[in-house]
Amino acid sequence: MPVVFVAASKLPTPFATFKMNGFLEEENGREHVVLSLGDVSDGEPVLGRVHSECLTGDALFSQRCDCGSQLEAALRAIASEGRGVLLYLRQEGRGIGLMNKIRAYELQDGGADTVEANERLGFAADQRDYAICLPMLEHLGVKSLRLMTNNPRKVKALTDMGISVAERVPLHTGQNPHNKLYLATKAGKLGHMMGNEHQSEVDPA
């Protein structure tokens, strides 16, 4: 999967001034960015997050999910540590796109959970492809991640492609009355580790 580096610039934020690295997926024209901070190419495990685009949560403050809260928490954690990476992947709606995500929301308004809604539209529960992470991490010289995620499938996907995940760092934030079913579905049907009892390291890959 050809993913090419395009350019890099400074990105001042309320948390830190990151380096914003732009990448292009040549096959389909999707544009992805990696925010990096500090020296991430020294071979030591890097605090990081792989975050899939969520326009509603990241930019429009939706409380139907926990995405925006996770994005902010991850950036704050990287800034606090002074070193890390955040991969922002253009895979809206777990890979189904924004318009289909709105269709899925409409079904959820009628009582479906997030998995049922995707499946009724003819999609898998999660259609994201993490293979695009490898060339971006290689470009930045990242050898190993301390991955901020509650999703064991994400850990497996990265380790299966040869990315070392030295630790899974839980990211529990953003719970509110509007996303109780959403979070319960992520835990019950998608295997996300939502409780404190799951705060364990994974074996290094």
Side-chain angles (χ1 to χ4, degrees):
M1 180 178 296
V3 178
V4 298
F5 172 74
V6 177
S9 69
K10 293 181 180 179
L11 183 71
T13 76
F15 320 112
T17 296
F18 293 91
K19 182 179 180 181
M20 180 168 63
N21 306 272
F23 294 87
L24 175 66
E25 209 174 332
E26 293 185 311
E27 182 177 339
N28 53 34
R30 286 181 182 168
E31 300 163 328
H32 311 278
V33 299
V34 181
L35 301 186
S36 62
L37 185 66
D39 182 4
V40 298
S41 62
D42 60 3
E44 294 299 314
V46 176
L47 183 65
R49 174 160 174 78
V50 175
H51 189 92
S52 295
E53 178 183 35
C54 176
L55 175 71
T56 49
D58 297 342
L60 301 179
F61 312 104
S62 170
Q63 293 195 315
R64 298 186 72 133
C65 62
D66 55 351
C67 302
S69 181
Q70 288 188 321
L71 176 61
E72 180 175 340
L75 290 175
R76 286 187 183 277
I78 291 170
S80 177
E81 190 149 312
R83 178 176 178 269
V85 293
L86 185 136
L87 285 71
Y88 195 88
L89 308 182
R90 304 298 296 279
Q91 301 192 120
E92 181 76 50
R94 296 201 193 100
I96 68 175
L98 181 58
M99 294 301 106
N100 283 321
K101 178 180 176 178
I102 296 173
R103 293 187 179 100
Y105 276 174
E106 185 176 38
L107 292 173
Q108 291 171 43
D109 289 343
D113 66 36
T114 181
V115 170
E116 293 166 345
N118 277 26
E119 291 174 344
R120 287 186 196 177
L121 292 172
F123 301 107
D126 191 340
Q127 299 201 160
R128 288 174 291 183
D129 181 1
Y130 296 109
I132 54 179
C133 298
L134 183 59
M136 292 190 280
L137 290 170
E138 287 180 338
H139 177 84
L140 294 173
V142 175
K143 304 297 184 184
S144 178
L145 287 173
R146 293 166 48 227
L147 187 65
M148 290 182 281
T149 185
N150 303 323
N151 185 356
R153 297 183 184 188
K154 189 179 292 185
V155 175
K156 184 177 187 302
L158 295 180
T159 54
D160 283 352
M161 72 180 70
I163 298 171
S164 170
V165 179
E167 180 185 1
R168 183 187 72 82
V169 180
L171 196 59
H172 300 142
T173 183
Q175 296 90 346
N176 68 76
H178 301 282
N179 64 16
K180 284 184 178 180
L181 175 60
Y182 169 82
L183 296 178
T185 302
K186 287 213 297 188
K189 291 190 174 182
L190 298 174
H192 287 219
M193 298 175 175
M194 309 302 291
N196 292 334
E197 69 273 15
H198 299 295
Q199 295 184 23
S200 60
E201 293 187 357
V202 297
D203 294 330

